[in-house]
Amino acid sequence: MIISYNWLNSLLKGKLPKVKELSDKIVLHAFEVELPVKHDDDYALEIKILPDRGSDALSHFGIARECSAIFNLPLDDLKVELKEDKNTEIDKFLSVEVKDKDCKRYSARVLTGIEVKESPKWIQDRLKVCGISPINNVVDVTNYVMLELGQPLHAFDYEKLSENKKIIIDKLKKSEKFITLSEQEVVLDKDTLTISDEEDVLVIAGIKGGKKAEISKNTKAIVLESANFKGSLISKTSKKLKIRTDSSYRFEHNIDSNLTVLALDRAANLIQEIAGATILKGVIDIYPKKEKLTRIFLHLDYLKNLLGIDVDLKDVRKILRSLEIEILKEEKDKIELLIPSFRKDIVAQENIIEEIGRIYGYDKINSVIPVSEEAIKRNSNVDFANNLRLIFKEFGFSEVYNYPFIGKEDKENFNFNKLIEIENPITVDSEYLTPSLIPNLIKNLKLNLKYEKDVKIYEIGKGFKKNGVFGEKRYISGVSSKSFQNIKGYLEELFESFGIKNIEFITNEKESFFSKKKSAIIKINKREVGTIGYLSSNVLESLGLDLDPVLFELDFEVFESEIKKDKKYTFISSYPIAIRDITVIVKKDTFVGEVLKSIKSLDSKLIKEIELVDIYNSDLNKSVTFRIYMQAKDRGLENEEINKIQNKIISNLIQNPEWEVKK
């Protein structure tokens, strides 16, 4: 928010320090401040109000309260000296009906005898410093009071209201077109909260006024309204209509309901002074459910322990009073406090302690290294993830970080169901929590293929599923433009790096986005750890990819649990390894895993490793070549032993009449 230095000064008894010192002190005790910008004899300070302080600090008066506490300067009394016409009561000229509970309070006054013209120079100057263009004296006053007190206001031309001069606050029953003051046409959905007369919508509640009752040069009488609305409703409507205003920004932060009448009277007073208005007697003020003030106990021992210093009780009292926090009762070890209605961010004693700390000055608190007698335990998950990163880096993979969201298009393309839906998604592509890392990795792959031919990327992250209850699982997933053999080799080397030996790649029978014919379930010690392979043809077609990428997804926890924690030395044989290749001709739709299973059925201690070397596809058949590594620990193998093992493997293979071993 942009604050005028001169305006801020006028709200305090006493003088603020120079702009540079003021900025530094506000940064130290409250909010970040951008470099002040000079405007004639004034300065504009852009102060970054924290979201939790939007309810009280989005105004000059709110920042003046902060300065009052920081610099020990009392606030000046806000002058409201309006004179009502005792002969004309407001109830005879206007009625208001609030039909919806999301309008928490609605206050209104009627002013007549107005001369619409330019505002005085002092109002125009202050608005300009704050980045608002002057329009006319009535509209300028509503903007001025909003910037001063933080309460948005709106003015209607009284004579343009429908015959009965009745204002109704309610949600629409059906969609309706609406022309805003800036002549933007929008369609208001059913359930949009509006302020209307008995014929037309006058205002999108809390957001933007309309053309019908616009203030013009011919306006002589106005209805001045000051209301309070449910913040979440205004935020939702603003996002839906893509209309964000100074008013909606303040209402989104749930400003103080007690501001409505104060701001209304302040604005009526100013319009009376600068436009010669007559103020009808009385205020229409509908406030069905008054907000209760929060009571909090501050425990003095906890204050000392949390801040790390002993703040004198006199200073504590002084700080609390400077923040307008009322001390109800003091006991030996605690103080009962009443929180003002404008400080909606203070809900617990920790908030009170934070307030005391920042006003007292965090710079007065000495830094102390925390001492603990307990030994720090290493986080095995973090170590494991870091080791994975080092290995993938050696493999030439690049790590990516994606948001854990997908959209409806992803859901349909990958045939996902039972997804966890986001209540307020940031974009249309982030409506669900993703159950797998693969969809976003595919998007990364498509983007990178525009610049590189060979892409190898991976991610360590969480997937989310809903099976009766919400669940999350950590995955190690990757996508590559390389061949299946390359990626399978990388994974085998990855497992070997962690001392894992009993690895199987078996036929994938599961329904998923992986192809059944061109993917395999990975098992470690008979436990399923993940999947490797290609996308199913339906998913591949839906994604419109120019190539068929290889992908893998591993269960982080299962993988980690299978790592040998205590590695033991294994004797390395000094005798040579004997190698034999066996090529099997099978039908084209036969799974390679079936052939491998048949070879492994020969449980021989002399077989060190079996490697898939080549697959060649013809029209009806395919030939699959395996390389068998044989080695003994205590001797060199003779040809007779090697041939015997090879012949037993061939014998097992040809038991299937549809398979042929190539000689």
Side-chain angles (χ1 to χ4, degrees), residues 438 484-485 487-488 491 504-523 528 530-537 548-553 588-594 596 612 615 622:
I438 296 297
F484 179 89
Q485 292 304 316
I487 305 306
K488 179 175 176 286
L491 291 185
E504 293 179 277
F505 294 84
I506 64 171
T507 305
N508 182 13
E509 299 290 346
K510 293 183 176 181
E511 291 292 339
S512 73
F513 53 81
F514 278 97
S515 167
K516 278 190 177 182
K517 293 185 177 180
K518 296 193 295 179
S519 68
I521 299 294
I522 307 168
K523 286 192 173 184
E528 186 177 323
T531 312
I532 180 175
Y534 296 90
L535 289 167
S536 71
S537 56
D548 195 356
V550 181
L551 30 142
F552 65 85
E553 189 148 73
K588 201 169 184 178
D589 59 354
T590 302
F591 291 113
V592 173
E594 292 179 40
L596 181 61
L612 176 62
I615 300 174
K622 64 182 174 186

Side-chain angles (χ1 to χ4, degrees), residues 99-100 170-176 189-192:
K99 291 185 175 183
D100 194 276
D170 196 9
K171 290 191 174 88
L172 289 177
K173 302 298 183 286
K174 60 180 181 178
S175 295
E176 188 173 325
D189 292 346
K190 178 189 171 186
D191 295 331
T192 301

Side-chain angles (χ1 to χ4, degrees), residues 46-70:
E46 187 174 345
I47 300 179
K48 295 183 177 180
I49 309 300
L50 297 170
D52 64 328
R53 294 296 304 278
S55 63
D56 75 291
L58 287 170
S59 66
H60 282 73
F61 199 77
I63 299 301
R65 267 195 301 249
E66 289 292 303
C67 292
S68 173
I70 294 167

Side-chain angles (χ1 to χ4, degrees), residues 92-257:
K92 295 178 181 178
F93 291 83
L94 182 71
S95 63
V96 175
E97 183 179 7
V98 176
K99 291 185 175 183
D100 194 276
K101 63 181 181 180
D102 286 335
C103 176
K104 297 193 286 185
R105 188 175 188 180
Y106 191 91
S107 310
R109 279 190 178 275
V110 175
L111 287 75
T112 62
I114 291 171
E115 182 186 355
V116 177
K117 57 184 179 180
E118 279 192 359
S119 298
K121 185 176 182 299
W122 65 273
I123 287 183
Q124 291 194 41
D125 288 346
R126 286 185 175 181
L127 291 177
K128 286 175 183 176
V129 171
C130 297
I132 292 181
S133 300
I135 297 171
N136 59 54
N137 52 2
V138 174
V139 176
D140 290 352
V141 164
T142 61
N143 286 329
Y144 183 92
V145 173
M146 178 185 70
L147 295 176
E148 184 177 58
L149 297 175
Q151 170 67 49
L153 301 125
H154 191 75
F156 307 112
D157 187 321
Y158 177 81
E159 293 174 355
K160 293 177 182 177
L161 299 181
S162 58
E163 185 179 353
N164 291 328
K165 309 301 180 189
K166 182 177 182 180
I167 290 176
I168 302 163
I169 299 91
D170 196 9
K171 290 191 174 88
L172 289 177
K173 302 298 183 286
K174 60 180 181 178
S175 295
E176 188 173 325
K177 286 184 180 180
F178 179 74
I179 308 294
T180 68
L181 283 167
S182 54
E183 299 188 354
Q184 177 186 357
E185 183 178 299
V186 293
V187 177
L188 305 181
D189 292 346
K190 178 189 171 186
D191 295 331
T192 301
L193 186 65
T194 61
I195 298 165
S196 312
D197 59 17
E198 291 179 307
E199 295 176 359
D200 302 294
V201 174
L202 304 173
V203 176
I204 308 168
I207 298 174
K208 192 87 170 176
K211 291 292 287 183
K212 177 180 177 179
E214 181 182 12
I215 303 298
S216 68
K217 289 181 180 179
N218 300 321
T219 299
K220 300 299 178 189
I222 65 167
V223 175
L224 193 60
E225 69 164 22
S226 180
N228 191 283
F229 307 101
K230 186 178 178 182
S232 58
L233 175 76
I234 302 304
S235 177
K236 186 177 179 181
T237 306
S238 177
K239 285 177 184 175
K240 188 188 295 183
L241 297 174
K242 296 180 181 178
I243 300 175
R244 192 167 176 80
T245 61
D246 289 327
S247 294
S248 67
Y249 182 58
R250 284 164 174 80
F251 283 126
E252 284 171 12
H253 288 85
N254 289 309
I255 57 175
D256 184 10
S257 297

Side-chain angles (χ1 to χ4, degrees), residues 578-597:
I579 300 173
R580 291 290 186 273
D581 286 353
I582 295 176
T583 300
V584 189
I585 300 170
V586 297
K587 286 189 175 181
K588 201 169 184 178
D589 59 354
T590 302
F591 291 113
V592 173
E594 292 179 40
V595 184
L596 181 61
K597 187 177 180 181

Side-chain angles (χ1 to χ4, degrees), residues 28 97 130 153 256 304 367 392 406 493 507 516 570 603:
L28 182 63
E97 183 179 7
C130 297
L153 301 125
D256 184 10
K304 181 180 177 180
S367 299
F392 276 113
I406 56 172
E493 194 169 337
T507 305
K516 278 190 177 182
T570 302
D603 187 15

